């Protein structure tokens, strides 16, 4: 597809991609949308947020992927919504799960 809109990627006539700037506004975009296990603190607290909430969620997923461990297994004994909500509340107030110490330091730094 030729051209592009507000941002993203455009394909030129040679088929090569180039990245264009994507401008996101800061503000209350959609409240608590998404999965609580991966939700950034500011989104959980229904505060103003930016695209950085996606970076937070991606880091949580990367930690699970490289650790070969799903956090929900650590925090949910009965699999209830209340347990997951309590975990999200802890994260929203500063708690961060420990990173796997067997991961290379560079990867731990990237995830943290």
């Amino acid at each position: 597809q030729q051209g592009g809109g507000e941002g993203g990627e455009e394909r030129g006539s040679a088929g090569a991609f180039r990245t264009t700037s994507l401008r996101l506004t800061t503000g209350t975009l959609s409240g608590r949308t998404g999965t609580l296990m991966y939700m950034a603190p500011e989104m959980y607290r229904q505060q103003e947020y930016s695209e950085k909430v996606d970076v937070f969620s991606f880091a949580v997923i990367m930690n699970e992927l490289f650790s070969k461990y799903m956090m929900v297994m650590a925090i949910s004994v009965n699999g209830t919504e209340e347990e997951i909500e309590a975990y999200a509340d802890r994260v929203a107030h500063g708690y961060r799960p420990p990173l796997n110490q067997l991961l290379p330091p560079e990867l731990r730094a990237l995830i943290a």
Side-chain angles (χ1 to χ4, degrees):
Q1 182 177 4
Q2 295 285 330
E6 271 295 306
E9 291 182 335
E10 295 182 9
R11 182 178 290 201
S13 60
F17 286 96
R18 68 182 172 132
T19 303
T20 60
S21 66
L22 177 62
R23 293 184 184 186
L24 298 175
T25 58
T26 301
T28 304
L29 301 176
S30 59
R32 280 182 162 178
T33 302
T35 305
L36 291 172
M37 289 296 303
Y38 306 101
M39 191 173 292
E42 59 270 34
M43 184 178 258
Y44 177 82
R45 292 189 304 257
Q46 298 181 335
Q47 297 174 331
E48 289 186 359
Y49 62 90
S50 69
E51 69 277 3
K52 293 178 182 180
V53 297
D54 294 328
V55 175
F56 180 91
S57 299
F58 184 69
V60 174
I61 293 168
M62 295 300 289
N63 186 35
E64 287 184 332
L65 179 67
F66 287 114
S67 298
K68 298 179 185 176
Y69 187 75
M70 293 179 63
M71 286 302 302
V72 71
M73 304 301 283
I75 60 100
S76 179
V77 175
N78 298 311
T80 66
E81 191 172 326
E82 290 80 17
E83 290 172 319
I84 295 171
E85 176 90 27
Y87 175 78
D89 190 65
R90 284 181 63 205
V91 169
H93 289 90
Y95 172 78
R96 298 296 180 269
L99 295 176
N100 184 335
Q101 295 302 306
L102 297 176
L103 295 175
E106 299 83 7
L107 185 56
R108 284 197 320 269
L110 181 65
I111 293 172

